[in-house]
Amino acid sequence: MKYRYCQAFLILLFQIGFSQNKISLFSEINYNSIPSVSLSDYKSVQERDKKFQNPNIALGIGISGGGSRAQFFSMGVLLGLEEIQENNSEHNFLNEIDYFSTVSGGCYSAGYYLTILKNKLYHDNCTFNEFYFSKADAYKDYVDKSANILSLLNNSRNEKGDKVSMAQRLDAEILQYDSSNPENPDKFKTQMLLSDFFVPKESKNVPLLPMMVANGTAYNNGERIPFMPHIIRGLNLNSSLAPNKASIALNENQINDGYNFPLTYAITASSAFPGVLPKTKFGVKDQSKILCIIDGGASDNMGYKTLMELLYNDSKVDNKNKRALFIDCMGQGKKEPYITDGKISLLALFETASLYTVQTRYITFERDVENLLERYKIPTSNYQVIGFTTLRDHLLKMKKDEPYEKLVTELKNTDDDYDNWLQFYNKFKLDLIDQFGELSFRKDKDGEVILATLTRDKFSELTAGQVLILYEFASHVETKLRITPEERDMLLLSGRLAVFLKTNELKELLVEHK
């Protein structure tokens, strides 16, 4: 199931040509500006325990959208970041992060990590890597749900939703909370709320977690909506109108408070790609209108605008010590250069037109980031980008041999049928086990080698051919919900490798400038 399309194009299409319930939409009745990103209502994240982070550095991370490809590539990056230790310190890069600005699939990895951080890592005295690769069976991190691209052509049917809402699925399968049975012994007893990330200034509580902001897009006008308590209050949201009866009912005071807004609603809204996942709707207090929110990628697929605003508003840290890392999960895709001499299908037209539009946005991304840094008087050298291009750039510098050239020819002559990719994966896995030995990997409960756990000290020994397969396989994973174990393995490993390749640059982001 693909949904690698230009969100803005689809929004316009759905507005003018597809079925729409006759409802009063927020921005059509009485438009009020969406409140801006601000930290003035909250205690500073720099007040967290000093053993976990340096309060003199403000470090933020933006994670792009891209379905399960984004989720598991960025999860691999988070695991890799924990493996980077600051010089002469117990701090690592992962627990130095103060702000997460996430979009769509990127919300899943950040939400999962922060849920585990709150409920397990603080209490069990183990690392995220140790937990992730030993507890995956008990705390799974994927949504076992498929979607059909043809639902794009039947939006009204899709709007009815499933018997189990996407918000409930995310709570249970990503955020580890069973709303239907809060006493479920296999889940955590408390739901993740925005109050876990945002602590009111007048509160006696001390911040424990970084701030996480999931970004959505207003359906009618394309404006970015960062889910923060003061923004929810400013919009006067007081009820959920998710498109099915299975939604969690919340009373007026809970939603309107903002702090008690469930994280699962923010993630559901951020990943609500029209026609694939239902639009997320919220009622407005004392008014007969709603706010309708879709995928955050329609307004900013990297989450960089919100992240820059969060760093700018951090008054505790000097501008020269404000740093950003962006995880770019944009896959390369693979399209045949030839088409048959026949009528071009509507879906093919959508995909082709939108693919080039999305790629064009990425061309200006780094320029846009640097313009914002200059505007906020933050040094333009204070950011890094990690993505599939990190692997590609490294590959271009590697020594190519005859096996590599044969592999290039083989890849050129194959198609995107998954059985072909599976053959590449199986050979790749056997080659690594043969080269490094089983002791270089962790094993699952059945004694099977977990490819993604290859020890970090072996990364420098990977051949050009091995890096090529990892890059091509991982970057060609489609934007979708349901993912195969092989795709997950390759994405996690490629994320960890990308961090390894950027180790020196990332360590520079942890150096405090006096």
Side-chain angles (χ1 to χ4, degrees), residues 38-43 199-202 229-230 233 259:
S38 170
L39 298 176
S40 60
D41 289 352
Y42 316 114
K43 285 192 172 181
V199 179
K201 272 194 170 178
E202 64 275 10
H230 74 278
R233 292 197 304 273
Y259 291 100

Side-chain angles (χ1 to χ4, degrees), residues 68-220:
S68 291
R69 184 184 62 249
Q71 177 185 356
F72 290 107
F73 177 76
S74 61
M75 190 80 81
V77 171
L78 296 182
L79 292 163
L81 293 176
E82 188 180 56
E83 297 174 303
I84 294 183
Q85 297 287 326
E86 189 178 357
N87 294 333
N88 302 318
S89 170
E90 294 182 0
H91 296 169
N92 64 62
F93 196 105
L94 183 60
N95 59 35
E96 282 283 358
I97 297 172
D98 300 299
Y99 304 102
F100 286 81
S101 175
T102 60
V103 180
S104 194
C107 299
Y108 290 37
S109 58
Y112 181 85
Y113 162 64
L114 292 170
T115 298
I116 300 304
L117 178 63
K118 172 194 170 185
N119 292 284
K120 298 295 290 183
L121 303 189
Y122 278 144
H123 308 294
D124 292 0
N125 195 29
C126 69
T127 68
F128 185 45
N129 274 266
E130 290 169 345
F131 177 89
Y132 189 80
F133 289 118
S134 63
K135 305 287 187 180
D137 294 322
Y139 300 94
K140 72 173 187 175
D141 58 346
Y142 55 90
V143 178
D144 190 17
K145 173 180 168 62
S146 62
N148 190 332
I149 192 62
L150 293 179
S151 61
L152 280 167
L153 303 179
N154 195 345
N155 194 46
S156 61
R157 179 179 178 182
N158 181 264
E159 282 293 305
K160 295 176 183 178
D162 300 323
K163 291 182 179 179
V164 179
S165 72
M166 192 61 183
Q168 285 177 296
R169 286 181 181 273
L170 288 174
D171 241 350
E173 299 170 14
I174 302 295
L175 306 178
Q176 313 302 319
Y177 175 77
D178 185 356
S179 60
S180 64
N181 179 19
E183 299 303 317
N184 185 341
D186 297 324
K187 300 294 179 182
F188 299 138
K189 294 186 180 300
T190 58
Q191 187 180 35
M192 293 294 286
L193 307 173
L194 294 196
S195 58
D196 288 311
F197 313 110
F198 301 92
V199 179
K201 272 194 170 178
E202 64 275 10
S203 172
K204 294 181 180 180
N205 296 329
V206 176
L208 295 177
L209 300 177
M211 287 185 180
M212 176 182 169
V213 182
N215 295 279
T217 302
Y219 177 76
N220 279 59

Side-chain angles (χ1 to χ4, degrees), residues 413-431:
N413 292 330
T414 192
D415 57 33
D416 262 346
D417 184 84
Y418 188 69
D419 287 340
N420 292 327
W421 286 112
L422 191 57
Q423 291 179 24
F424 283 118
Y425 167 84
N426 289 331
K427 186 176 185 307
F428 176 76
K429 183 174 182 177
L430 290 175
D431 284 348

Side-chain angles (χ1 to χ4, degrees), residues 470-489:
L470 189 58
Y471 165 70
E472 291 287 351
F473 190 108
S475 65
H476 282 92
V477 173
E478 296 175 354
T479 302
K480 57 185 177 181
L481 278 174
R482 180 167 285 171
I483 192 167
T484 69
E486 296 82 16
E487 289 171 326
R488 183 176 180 270
D489 239 2

